[in-house]
């Protein structure tokens, strides 16, 4: 991913927002720094941009891909500018956010087949629990690692999705056969874990 081995820092959401605020201030996009009460126009402006950047990352979209895809969208001009500046600031600080932990290696595998083949060979059999809480970025990872051997085993229930707010796409459970055409689907429709006494109101 381009970082020195074991020398990078991972920042949480509060620190991410702080970095974005600094970048926006440096680029003259805000006239006042957001306050801790999460109010004011600067906060709302930055929160919308922050959410869009995170949404792109959760869909596997780097800032270079975003710039290419959305270059003709005037309403995203500031977001594109700040996405690039945000990522460049993180790299300068030898820092990444949680989404980058998946996005940066994914991008390396996308651009260098040798890296992809190396890691795909390391994981010949892949098991995914809680598949209904998988987001697009994680699905892209699965394809990078499993497309060649197709040895993937997934368990999930679309009715128990908890992470839509973080980009999870429970509908992917229904499209599992499309993603993995050779898959055998085994519905587990009988509950053996909860007795009737527990299930009864």
């Amino acid at each position: 991913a381009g970082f020195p081995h074991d020398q990078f820092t991972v920042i949480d959401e509060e620190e991410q927002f702080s970095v974005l605020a600094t970048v926006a201030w440096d680029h003259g996009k805000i006239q006042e720094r957001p306050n801790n009460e999460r109010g004011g126009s600067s906060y709302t402006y930055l929160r919308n941009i922050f959410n869009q950047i995170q949404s792109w990352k959760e869909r596997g979209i780097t800032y270079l891909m975003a710039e290419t895809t959305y270059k003709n969208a005037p309403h995203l001009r500031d977001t594109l500018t700040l996405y690039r500046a945000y990522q460049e600031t993180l790299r300068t600080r030898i820092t990444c956010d949680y989404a980058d932990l998946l996005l940066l290696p994914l991008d390396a595998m996308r651009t260098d087949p040798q890296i992809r083949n190396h890691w795909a060979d390391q994981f010949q059999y892949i098991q995914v629990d809680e598949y209904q809480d998988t987001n697009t970025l994680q699905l892209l990872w699965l394809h990078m690692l499993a497309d060649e051997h197709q040895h993937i085993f997934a368990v999930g229930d679309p009715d128990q999705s908890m992470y839509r707010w973080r980009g999870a796409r429970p509908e992917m459970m229904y499209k599992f056969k499309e993603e993995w055409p050779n898959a055998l689907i085994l519905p587990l429709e009988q509950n053996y874990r909860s007795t009737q006494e527990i299930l009864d109101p």
Side-chain angles (χ1 to χ4, degrees), residues 36-105:
N36 293 331
E37 285 79 36
R38 301 190 174 193
S41 58
S42 291
Y43 177 85
T44 303
Y45 168 81
L46 283 178
R47 178 52 63 178
N48 289 335
I49 289 178
F50 179 86
N51 290 342
Q52 181 61 71
I53 291 172
Q54 292 307 303
S55 174
W56 279 336
K57 287 188 173 192
E58 289 164 1
R59 287 155 45 206
I61 300 174
T62 65
Y63 71 85
L64 290 174
M65 294 168 65
E67 287 174 343
T68 300
T69 305
Y70 302 104
K71 60 184 177 182
N72 295 321
H75 67 288
L76 293 174
R77 190 171 295 126
D78 282 0
T79 307
L80 293 171
T81 298
L82 294 181
Y83 188 7
R84 174 182 280 272
Y86 170 79
Q87 288 302 127
E88 289 173 347
T89 300
L90 292 186
R91 186 162 292 278
T92 299
R93 297 181 181 184
I94 314 178
T95 300
C96 67
D97 59 35
Y98 285 110
D100 285 335
L101 291 175
L102 290 181
L103 181 58
L104 296 178

Side-chain angles (χ1 to χ4, degrees), residues 14 28 34 54 56 65 89 94 123 125 144 156 166 177 187 200:
E14 185 176 337
Q54 292 307 303
W56 279 336
M65 294 168 65
T89 300
I94 314 178
F123 301 99
Y125 298 90
M144 283 288 171
R166 297 206 47 190
K177 190 74 172 176
D200 287 340

Side-chain angles (χ1 to χ4, degrees), residues 94-199:
I94 314 178
T95 300
C96 67
D97 59 35
Y98 285 110
D100 285 335
L101 291 175
L102 290 181
L103 181 58
L104 296 178
L106 173 71
D107 197 44
M109 288 192 288
R110 283 193 290 212
T111 55
D112 189 336
Q114 195 171 2
I115 294 176
R116 173 185 176 170
N117 293 339
H118 170 78
W119 289 106
D121 288 344
Q122 294 292 314
F123 301 99
Q124 287 291 312
Y125 298 90
I126 297 175
Q127 178 175 327
V128 184
D129 194 16
E130 307 292 358
Y131 193 88
Q132 75 277 358
D133 287 324
T134 304
N135 64 24
T136 302
L137 178 55
Q138 294 163 333
L139 179 64
L140 292 170
W141 254 87
L142 289 174
H143 278 291
M144 283 288 171
L145 297 177
D147 270 356
E148 189 68 29
H149 53 66
Q150 296 280 311
H151 297 154
I152 182 168
F153 180 88
V155 179
D157 180 352
D159 293 330
Q160 294 190 42
S161 179
M162 298 170 53
Y163 291 98
R164 289 176 189 265
W165 59 278
R166 297 206 47 190
R169 296 176 52 209
E171 70 273 11
M172 291 197 302
M173 282 292 300
Y174 299 113
K175 297 180 179 179
F176 191 85
K177 190 74 172 176
E178 294 176 28
E179 299 283 348
W180 314 96
N182 297 325
L184 173 65
I185 307 297
L186 299 173
L188 302 179
E189 298 172 337
Q190 178 65 47
N191 185 333
Y192 293 98
R193 184 172 57 182
S194 300
T195 64
Q196 195 60 44
E197 290 175 306
I198 295 172
L199 296 176

